[in-house]
């Protein structure tokens, strides 16, 4: 190998080394986003003793209206635990979670309703979470949402399963009939 080829080989090796250092240096200087845990949803997450609260939200139609907590509560302990959630103005609800199991608050059978949401939809409210297994308590910041997004409309306290009021809730049968359902045409329908 002559001097020219030896020099080219050395330059190529140096360039490769610099390239590799540049690529690995990014992870040395910047934190890896995949190693950071965060709530990848609208709700919040928190751990209270052996309980893991995940995707917690309060769904309400307004600040001083009842608010329904939705999300999941996981119990990693070997005994049943009761979670007590205290919100604004003395509002309170309790959730029972079986040992080594979870409770989904999105099910209609496991409703957790606070008498008042404590904040307008779009805001975050402080809720004191207490579990009776190890008597740990923690203040958790939980976002308040309303039924604007269709996936939350069914959870607004007092809403029908479809998320809107049924005709019988808002009008009498004669008031709720549409022109096509009524037997007599309205003046605007006759030509």
């Amino acid at each position: 190998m002559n001097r020219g080829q030896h020099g080219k080989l050395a330059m190529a090796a140096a360039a490769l080394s610099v390239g590799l250092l540049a690529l690995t240096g990014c992870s040395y200087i910047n934190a890896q986003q995949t190693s950071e845990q965060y709530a990848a949803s609208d709700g919040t997450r928190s751990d209270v003793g052996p309980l893991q609260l995940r995707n917690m939200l309060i769904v309400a139609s307004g600040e001083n209206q009842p608010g329904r907590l939705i999300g999941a509560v996981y119990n990693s302990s070997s005994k049943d635990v009761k979670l007590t959630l205290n919100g604004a103005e003395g509002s309170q609800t309790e959730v029972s979670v079986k040992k080594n199991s979870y409770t989904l608050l999105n099910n209609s059978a496991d409703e957790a309703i606070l008498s008042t949401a404590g904040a307008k939809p779009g805001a975050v409210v402080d809720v004191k979470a207490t579990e009776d297994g190890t008597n740990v308590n923690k203040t958790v910041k939980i976002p308040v949402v309303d039924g604007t997004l269709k996936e939350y409309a069914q959870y607004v306290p007092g809403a029908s399963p479809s998320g809107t009021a049924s005709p019988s809730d808002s009008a009498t049968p004669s008031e709720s009939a549409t022109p096509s359902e009524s037997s007599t045409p309205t003046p605007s329908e006759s030509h």
Side-chain angles (χ1 to χ4, degrees):
M1 186 181 290
N2 67 27
R3 271 183 142 205
Q5 290 175 331
H6 189 45
K8 288 181 184 178
L9 185 59
M11 294 274 287
L16 183 61
S17 297
V18 168
L20 287 174
L21 283 173
L23 289 175
T24 59
C26 290
S27 64
Y28 178 74
I29 296 169
N30 299 319
Q32 292 179 342
Q33 290 299 315
T34 56
S35 64
E36 293 180 28
Q37 292 188 6
Y38 64 97
S41 62
D42 295 334
T44 189
R45 60 181 280 149
S46 186
D47 295 339
V48 182
L51 299 180
Q52 299 169 1
L53 284 59
R54 298 297 184 259
N55 198 25
M56 299 298 288
L57 290 168
I58 297 174
V59 184
S61 59
E63 179 177 6
N64 297 317
Q65 300 298 315
R68 179 175 177 183
L69 280 153
I70 62 171
V73 182
Y74 297 90
N75 180 0
S76 62
S77 72
S78 59
K79 64 180 183 176
D80 295 351
V81 176
K82 182 173 28 175
L83 172 66
T84 303
L85 298 155
N86 294 300
E89 299 178 22
S91 61
Q92 177 178 314
T93 189
E94 294 180 344
V95 177
S96 297
V97 188
K98 302 254 183 237
K99 63 183 177 181
N100 295 314
S101 186
Y102 62 92
T103 297
L104 294 176
L105 300 177
N106 306 7
N107 294 337
S108 59
D110 294 316
E111 290 187 5
I113 306 286
L114 295 170
S115 59
T116 181
K120 293 179 182 177
V124 177
V125 66
D126 287 338
V127 174
K128 182 180 176 187
T130 307
E131 55 84 21
D132 69 352
T134 57
N135 294 318
V136 171
N137 65 60
K138 182 178 188 178
T139 299
V140 181
K141 295 191 176 297
I142 300 179
V144 179
V145 298
D146 60 11
T148 302
L149 296 174
K150 67 179 182 175
E151 57 266 24
Y152 300 126
Q154 65 181 327
Y155 300 115
V156 175
S160 66
S162 66
T164 58
S166 65
S168 62
D169 291 340
S170 60
T172 62
S174 62
E175 293 172 342
S176 65
T178 62
S180 62
E181 293 172 332
S182 68
S183 58
T184 58
T186 61
S188 64
E189 290 178 338
S190 57
H191 298 278

